[in-house]
PDB file of all heavy atoms in Angstrom:
ATOM      1  N   LEU A 336      -1.245  20.670 -24.768  1.00  0.00           N
ATOM      2  CA  LEU A 336      -2.577  20.713 -24.172  1.00  0.00           C
ATOM      3  C   LEU A 336      -3.635  20.311 -25.191  1.00  0.00           C
ATOM      4  O   LEU A 336      -4.564  19.546 -24.876  1.00  0.00           O
ATOM      5  CB  LEU A 336      -2.860  22.112 -23.622  1.00  0.00           C
ATOM      6  CG  LEU A 336      -4.230  22.313 -22.969  1.00  0.00           C
ATOM      7  CD1 LEU A 336      -4.447  21.328 -21.826  1.00  0.00           C
ATOM      8  CD2 LEU A 336      -4.386  23.750 -22.471  1.00  0.00           C
ATOM      9  N   LYS A 337      -3.499  20.805 -26.404  1.00  0.00           N
ATOM     10  CA  LYS A 337      -4.465  20.448 -27.458  1.00  0.00           C
ATOM     11  C   LYS A 337      -4.450  18.952 -27.750  1.00  0.00           C
ATOM     12  O   LYS A 337      -5.481  18.341 -28.033  1.00  0.00           O
ATOM     13  CB  LYS A 337      -4.166  21.238 -28.733  1.00  0.00           C
ATOM     14  CG  LYS A 337      -4.582  22.690 -28.656  1.00  0.00           C
ATOM     15  CD  LYS A 337      -4.182  23.473 -29.897  1.00  0.00           C
ATOM     16  CE  LYS A 337      -4.549  24.959 -29.763  1.00  0.00           C
ATOM     17  NZ  LYS A 337      -4.084  25.761 -30.908  1.00  0.00           N
ATOM     18  N   LYS A 338      -3.275  18.354 -27.659  1.00  0.00           N
ATOM     19  CA  LYS A 338      -3.158  16.912 -27.901  1.00  0.00           C
ATOM     20  C   LYS A 338      -3.943  16.130 -26.845  1.00  0.00           C
ATOM     21  O   LYS A 338      -4.643  15.156 -27.165  1.00  0.00           O
ATOM     22  CB  LYS A 338      -1.688  16.507 -27.867  1.00  0.00           C
ATOM     23  CG  LYS A 338      -1.446  15.045 -28.205  1.00  0.00           C
ATOM     24  CD  LYS A 338       0.044  14.739 -28.201  1.00  0.00           C
ATOM     25  CE  LYS A 338       0.283  13.263 -28.507  1.00  0.00           C
ATOM     26  NZ  LYS A 338       1.735  12.937 -28.479  1.00  0.00           N
ATOM     27  N   ILE A 339      -3.842  16.559 -25.584  1.00  0.00           N
ATOM     28  CA  ILE A 339      -4.598  15.894 -24.516  1.00  0.00           C
ATOM     29  C   ILE A 339      -6.093  16.098 -24.718  1.00  0.00           C
ATOM     30  O   ILE A 339      -6.895  15.169 -24.574  1.00  0.00           O
ATOM     31  CB  ILE A 339      -4.160  16.429 -23.137  1.00  0.00           C
ATOM     32  CG1 ILE A 339      -2.742  15.966 -22.822  1.00  0.00           C
ATOM     33  CG2 ILE A 339      -5.120  15.965 -22.038  1.00  0.00           C
ATOM     34  CD1 ILE A 339      -2.181  16.528 -21.533  1.00  0.00           C
ATOM     35  N   GLU A 340      -6.484  17.324 -25.094  1.00  0.00           N
ATOM     36  CA  GLU A 340      -7.905  17.607 -25.334  1.00  0.00           C
ATOM     37  C   GLU A 340      -8.460  16.728 -26.436  1.00  0.00           C
ATOM     38  O   GLU A 340      -9.546  16.157 -26.324  1.00  0.00           O
ATOM     39  CB  GLU A 340      -8.077  19.077 -25.730  1.00  0.00           C
ATOM     40  CG  GLU A 340      -8.165  20.031 -24.561  1.00  0.00           C
ATOM     41  CD  GLU A 340      -8.672  21.385 -25.011  1.00  0.00           C
ATOM     42  OE1 GLU A 340      -7.876  22.184 -25.522  1.00  0.00           O
ATOM     43  OE2 GLU A 340      -9.887  21.621 -24.856  1.00  0.00           O
ATOM     44  N   LYS A 341      -7.724  16.637 -27.514  1.00  0.00           N
ATOM     45  CA  LYS A 341      -8.193  15.902 -28.689  1.00  0.00           C
ATOM     46  C   LYS A 341      -8.390  14.422 -28.366  1.00  0.00           C
ATOM     47  O   LYS A 341      -9.335  13.792 -28.833  1.00  0.00           O
ATOM     48  CB  LYS A 341      -7.185  16.053 -29.825  1.00  0.00           C
ATOM     49  CG  LYS A 341      -7.683  15.522 -31.174  1.00  0.00           C
ATOM     50  CD  LYS A 341      -6.635  15.744 -32.256  1.00  0.00           C
ATOM     51  CE  LYS A 341      -6.494  17.233 -32.560  1.00  0.00           C
ATOM     52  NZ  LYS A 341      -5.570  17.481 -33.718  1.00  0.00           N
ATOM     53  N   SER A 342      -7.517  13.882 -27.546  1.00  0.00           N
ATOM     54  CA  SER A 342      -7.568  12.444 -27.300  1.00  0.00           C
ATOM     55  C   SER A 342      -8.455  12.044 -26.124  1.00  0.00           C
ATOM     56  O   SER A 342      -8.925  10.911 -26.067  1.00  0.00           O
ATOM     57  CB  SER A 342      -6.153  11.915 -27.048  1.00  0.00           C
ATOM     58  OG  SER A 342      -5.600  12.544 -25.900  1.00  0.00           O
ATOM     59  N   GLU A 343      -8.685  12.957 -25.197  1.00  0.00           N
ATOM     60  CA  GLU A 343      -9.331  12.497 -23.972  1.00  0.00           C
ATOM     61  C   GLU A 343     -10.526  13.322 -23.487  1.00  0.00           C
ATOM     62  O   GLU A 343     -11.479  12.772 -22.976  1.00  0.00           O
ATOM     63  CB  GLU A 343      -8.301  12.428 -22.834  1.00  0.00           C
ATOM     64  CG  GLU A 343      -7.206  11.405 -23.089  1.00  0.00           C
ATOM     65  CD  GLU A 343      -6.235  11.332 -21.920  1.00  0.00           C
ATOM     66  OE1 GLU A 343      -6.660  11.616 -20.796  1.00  0.00           O
ATOM     67  OE2 GLU A 343      -5.076  11.002 -22.154  1.00  0.00           O
ATOM     68  N   LEU A 344     -10.514  14.624 -23.600  1.00  0.00           N
ATOM     69  CA  LEU A 344     -11.550  15.407 -22.946  1.00  0.00           C
ATOM     70  C   LEU A 344     -11.731  16.764 -23.612  1.00  0.00           C
ATOM     71  O   LEU A 344     -10.909  17.202 -24.414  1.00  0.00           O
ATOM     72  CB  LEU A 344     -11.215  15.619 -21.470  1.00  0.00           C
ATOM     73  CG  LEU A 344     -10.078  16.601 -21.115  1.00  0.00           C
ATOM     74  CD1 LEU A 344     -10.194  16.993 -19.659  1.00  0.00           C
ATOM     75  CD2 LEU A 344      -8.714  16.022 -21.387  1.00  0.00           C
ATOM     76  N   GLU A 345     -12.841  17.378 -23.239  1.00  0.00           N
ATOM     77  CA  GLU A 345     -13.120  18.728 -23.722  1.00  0.00           C
ATOM     78  C   GLU A 345     -13.133  19.670 -22.533  1.00  0.00           C
ATOM     79  O   GLU A 345     -13.897  19.496 -21.578  1.00  0.00           O
ATOM     80  CB  GLU A 345     -14.488  18.757 -24.424  1.00  0.00           C
ATOM     81  CG  GLU A 345     -14.829  20.116 -24.999  1.00  0.00           C
ATOM     82  CD  GLU A 345     -16.175  20.137 -25.708  1.00  0.00           C
ATOM     83  OE1 GLU A 345     -16.693  19.056 -26.031  1.00  0.00           O
ATOM     84  OE2 GLU A 345     -16.715  21.237 -25.907  1.00  0.00           O
ATOM     85  N   LEU A 346     -12.265  20.650 -22.561  1.00  0.00           N
ATOM     86  CA  LEU A 346     -12.124  21.583 -21.443  1.00  0.00           C
ATOM     87  C   LEU A 346     -12.900  22.858 -21.697  1.00  0.00           C
ATOM     88  O   LEU A 346     -12.978  23.336 -22.837  1.00  0.00           O
ATOM     89  CB  LEU A 346     -10.648  21.926 -21.222  1.00  0.00           C
ATOM     90  CG  LEU A 346      -9.723  20.766 -20.843  1.00  0.00           C
ATOM     91  CD1 LEU A 346      -8.271  21.187 -20.977  1.00  0.00           C
ATOM     92  CD2 LEU A 346     -10.009  20.300 -19.421  1.00  0.00           C
ATOM     93  N   SER A 347     -13.463  23.423 -20.627  1.00  0.00           N
ATOM     94  CA  SER A 347     -14.135  24.714 -20.741  1.00  0.00           C
ATOM     95  C   SER A 347     -13.093  25.822 -20.810  1.00  0.00           C
ATOM     96  O   SER A 347     -11.908  25.612 -20.524  1.00  0.00           O
ATOM     97  CB  SER A 347     -15.043  24.942 -19.533  1.00  0.00           C
ATOM     98  OG  SER A 347     -14.257  25.184 -18.379  1.00  0.00           O
ATOM     99  N   ASP A 348     -13.531  27.019 -21.172  1.00  0.00           N
ATOM    100  CA  ASP A 348     -12.609  28.150 -21.244  1.00  0.00           C
ATOM    101  C   ASP A 348     -11.971  28.421 -19.876  1.00  0.00           C
ATOM    102  O   ASP A 348     -10.778  28.738 -19.788  1.00  0.00           O
ATOM    103  CB  ASP A 348     -13.346  29.409 -21.733  1.00  0.00           C
ATOM    104  CG  ASP A 348     -13.729  29.307 -23.210  1.00  0.00           C
ATOM    105  OD1 ASP A 348     -13.127  28.464 -23.916  1.00  0.00           O
ATOM    106  OD2 ASP A 348     -14.624  30.050 -23.641  1.00  0.00           O
ATOM    107  N   LYS A 349     -12.763  28.312 -18.798  1.00  0.00           N
ATOM    108  CA  LYS A 349     -12.240  28.560 -17.455  1.00  0.00           C
ATOM    109  C   LYS A 349     -11.217  27.494 -17.055  1.00  0.00           C
ATOM    110  O   LYS A 349     -10.218  27.784 -16.400  1.00  0.00           O
ATOM    111  CB  LYS A 349     -13.380  28.596 -16.427  1.00  0.00           C
ATOM    112  CG  LYS A 349     -14.012  29.962 -16.251  1.00  0.00           C
ATOM    113  CD  LYS A 349     -13.038  30.916 -15.542  1.00  0.00           C
ATOM    114  CE  LYS A 349     -13.656  32.291 -15.320  1.00  0.00           C
ATOM    115  NZ  LYS A 349     -12.685  33.215 -14.701  1.00  0.00           N
ATOM    116  N   GLN A 350     -11.475  26.262 -17.444  1.00  0.00           N
ATOM    117  CA  GLN A 350     -10.515  25.202 -17.130  1.00  0.00           C
ATOM    118  C   GLN A 350      -9.196  25.428 -17.858  1.00  0.00           C
ATOM    119  O   GLN A 350      -8.117  25.234 -17.296  1.00  0.00           O
ATOM    120  CB  GLN A 350     -11.105  23.836 -17.474  1.00  0.00           C
ATOM    121  CG  GLN A 350     -12.185  23.380 -16.486  1.00  0.00           C
ATOM    122  CD  GLN A 350     -12.808  22.072 -16.893  1.00  0.00           C
ATOM    123  OE1 GLN A 350     -13.124  21.865 -18.070  1.00  0.00           O
ATOM    124  NE2 GLN A 350     -13.009  21.179 -15.941  1.00  0.00           N
ATOM    125  N   LYS A 351      -9.295  25.849 -19.127  1.00  0.00           N
ATOM    126  CA  LYS A 351      -8.080  26.162 -19.887  1.00  0.00           C
ATOM    127  C   LYS A 351      -7.337  27.337 -19.241  1.00  0.00           C
ATOM    128  O   LYS A 351      -6.104  27.347 -19.155  1.00  0.00           O
ATOM    129  CB  LYS A 351      -8.432  26.502 -21.336  1.00  0.00           C
ATOM    130  CG  LYS A 351      -8.889  25.310 -22.158  1.00  0.00           C
ATOM    131  CD  LYS A 351      -9.247  25.753 -23.571  1.00  0.00           C
ATOM    132  CE  LYS A 351      -9.840  24.620 -24.385  1.00  0.00           C
ATOM    133  NZ  LYS A 351     -10.251  25.072 -25.726  1.00  0.00           N
TER     134      LYS A 351
END
Side-chain angles (χ1 to χ4, degrees):
L336 180 57
K337 285 176 183 176
K338 184 178 179 181
I339 291 176
E340 276 194 278
K341 190 178 291 186
S342 61
E343 296 182 28
L344 73 162
E345 182 179 343
L346 298 167
S347 71
D348 289 341
K349 272 290 181 183
Q350 286 176 316
K351 289 179 186 177

